[in-house]
Amino acid sequence: MQAVGVLIFVAILGAFICAKVRAPGGAVAFSLLALVLFIATPAGRGLPDAISSFLTAVDNASTPALNGGGQEAGVGQ
């Protein structure tokens, strides 16, 4: 997989072309292909962990507010 950079570029180019001609299904498919190819590279291996930790932080920050625990969320202090 030495030419994975070229494949990612072609996938992004395909997504751009599909978006330009208003074909949203093709644009989404090419974008997902580019994302999968990027995650397969050594530079993108940390992306799933980074997304997971970001979503965990958002969940921890929003759960007290959504459960009605205003005191825990810093509201009313």
Side-chain angles (χ1 to χ4, degrees), residues 2-68:
Q2 294 178 355
V4 72
V6 174
L7 292 175
I8 293 171
F9 177 74
V10 169
I12 292 172
L13 185 64
F16 178 74
I17 291 170
C18 286
K20 237 6 197 170
V21 298
R22 299 181 190 266
V28 169
F30 276 113
S31 297
L32 289 176
L33 177 65
L35 182 65
V36 168
L37 288 172
F38 177 71
I39 290 174
T41 64
R45 295 209 180 174
L47 186 64
D49 291 333
I51 292 172
S52 174
S53 65
F54 173 74
L55 292 178
T56 300
V58 169
D59 182 47
N60 290 340
S62 64
T63 297
L66 294 175
N67 288 337

